[in-house]
Amino acid sequence: MTDSPVLPAVNREWHLVTRPVGWPKPEDFALVEAEVPTPRDGQVLVRNLYVSVDPYMRGRMSAAKSYAAPYELGKVMQGGAVGEVVASNAEGFTVGDHVLHFFGWREYAALDAGNAVKVDPDAAPLSTYLGVLGMTGLTAYAGLLRTASFKEGDSVFVSGAAGAVGSQVGQIAKLKGASRVIGSAGSDEKVKLLLDEYGFDAAFNYKNGPVSEQLRAAAPDGVDVYFDNVGGDHLEAAIGSLNLGGRIAICGAISVYNNTEPAPGPKNLARLIQTRGRIEGFLVGDHYDLQPQFVEEVGPWVRSGELKYRETVVEGIENNLEAFLGVLRGDNTGKMIVKL
């Protein structure tokens, strides 16, 4: 094992203790003190510096079968994290390396070297590897360009447009020649951000009136692509405004994640016959073959400032849960990050 600094005796980590029904409650979770783990052969010990909280984690708190295994009760949860290697029993990793991995919701993580990806803190701020240059960025890129088959001249509507994924979808569409980009968000402040900083052509606060009416006003000529982060009335509105040959990429449906009963589907699905429209769901995990292309194209946009991003940073592992609940409430602008 390579030399390592003196480590604390306690490692704080978040456990799921009860599966939430409806909105998660603080009593469904526990911040537990455990020993700092010792890396076995082929492992590294990482001190997490930034951890990610994301809407999909709500699904993993349920026992229902889904695309990701449920969190186990009484055990530490998982999520994206970036940290510094503080001890190594693995070839190719030394103390001081910075890595991206999937063992968040804790201060220290021992993990197999194969589950760690080195990242360069000099090329970009470490937190960006959880957002604009990480999973959320690739989600935007793959969903827009591959799933929704975006092409130059398309009119694009994005829901949850001030979030980590949605804000990148809109900007990538603009950079690639969209004729019009429309976004919805949950506050007037976020609408202003979409227009003034992210360069959207139109935006509206979905709380200010029926989404279908506001979308028709913002996109009088209809939309060719809808990138769905919300579901519910947004999806129905998008189907109503879809142009001939329109495409809808289903990334998420945060509006129904905490429902205890199934949400009704859109009432106007038959319109897809008229428009020859297509709806397709996707998972970023199916598109990691695009990662090199994504970094090659988007990295320079980030460095030049052509593609802008925001982060909402919460300090301290003790506030990890509150940060997650904030994502479900829509408190964040851009990527929600917890700094440890």
Side-chain angles (χ1 to χ4, degrees):
M1 185 185 300
T2 56
D3 292 337
S4 62
V6 176
L7 301 175
V10 173
N11 181 29
R12 291 182 293 171
E13 54 187 39
W14 281 96
H15 290 198
L16 182 67
V17 295
T18 306
R19 299 205 182 278
V21 177
W23 276 86
K25 303 179 294 295
E27 52 266 34
D28 295 326
F29 308 84
L31 182 59
V32 175
E33 292 188 350
E35 291 184 0
V36 175
T38 300
R40 301 189 301 269
D41 285 346
Q43 288 191 329
V44 293
L45 178 65
V46 179
R47 178 172 67 89
N48 287 333
L49 301 174
Y50 296 93
V51 300
S52 178
V53 287
D54 302 279
Y56 80 87
M57 293 173 174
R58 176 62 185 87
R60 296 195 67 185
M61 294 170 189
S62 167
K65 187 176 181 180
S66 184
Y67 60 86
Y71 291 133
E72 294 185 58
L73 293 179
K75 294 189 177 180
V76 62
M77 293 185 290
Q78 296 176 333
V82 175
E84 180 182 2
V85 174
V86 293
S88 176
N89 255 336
E91 188 175 344
F93 289 86
T94 60
V95 171
D97 286 343
H98 291 87
V99 296
L100 172 67
H101 62 87
F102 206 68
F103 295 86
W105 288 85
R106 70 200 82 183
E107 292 176 305
Y108 288 85
L111 55 133
D112 293 342
N115 292 325
V117 177
K118 288 185 182 180
V119 295
D120 184 358
D122 295 324
L126 286 172
S127 59
T128 63
Y129 294 104
L130 295 174
V132 66
L133 293 178
M135 184 177 70
T136 52
L138 181 60
T139 300
Y141 189 86
L144 177 68
L145 302 183
R146 179 176 279 174
T147 306
S149 304
F150 170 85
K151 60 184 183 298
E152 187 176 354
D154 279 343
S155 173
V156 178
F157 171 44
V158 188
S159 59
V165 174
S167 60
Q168 276 193 256
V169 172
Q171 291 183 85
I172 292 171
K174 289 291 290 183
L175 287 163
K176 284 190 161 289
S179 62
R180 188 168 178 80
V181 174
I182 305 101
S184 72
S187 72
D188 293 341
E189 181 183 10
K190 289 180 179 180
V191 167
K192 188 174 188 300
L193 174 70
L194 295 178
L195 297 170
D196 295 349
E197 186 166 331
Y198 294 152
F200 281 57
D201 297 292
F204 60 86
N205 181 346
Y206 67 83
K207 297 175 182 177
N208 287 348
V211 175
S212 57
E213 294 179 10
Q214 295 196 77
L215 178 58
R216 280 196 296 270
D221 297 323
V223 297
D224 302 300
V225 169
Y226 170 48
F227 194 105
D228 190 15
N229 290 305
V230 173
D233 55 356
H234 281 74
L235 177 56
E236 188 168 294
I239 293 171
S241 287
L242 205 63
N243 289 333
L244 187 68
R247 290 86 66 203
I248 296 175
I250 305 291
C251 177
I254 196 169
S255 69
V256 301
Y257 283 170
N258 294 305
N259 287 9
T260 56
E261 298 292 334
K267 297 189 293 289
N268 56 350
L269 281 175
R271 193 170 185 276
L272 295 175
I273 303 169
Q274 173 189 343
T275 62
R276 289 71 141 183
R278 170 168 62 86
I279 300 179
E280 183 177 346
F282 75 99
L283 293 175
V284 66
D286 296 333
H287 301 282
Y288 278 115
D289 61 297
L290 289 176
Q291 181 76 24
Q293 175 184 323
F294 161 68
V295 172
E296 181 179 353
E297 185 166 23
V298 175
W301 288 339
V302 173
R303 288 191 289 274
S304 69
E306 291 174 274
L307 194 153
K308 299 174 175 60
Y309 67 95
R310 287 283 190 96
E311 294 174 339
T312 300
V313 180
V314 172
E315 300 260 355
I317 187 70
E318 64 276 7
N319 294 314
N320 215 99
L321 174 60
E322 181 56 29
F324 168 70
L325 296 176
V327 169
L328 297 183
R329 292 191 300 262
D331 293 350
N332 55 303
T333 299
K335 184 75 184 76
M336 180 73 89
I337 302 281
V338 180
K339 182 180 180 181
L340 305 191

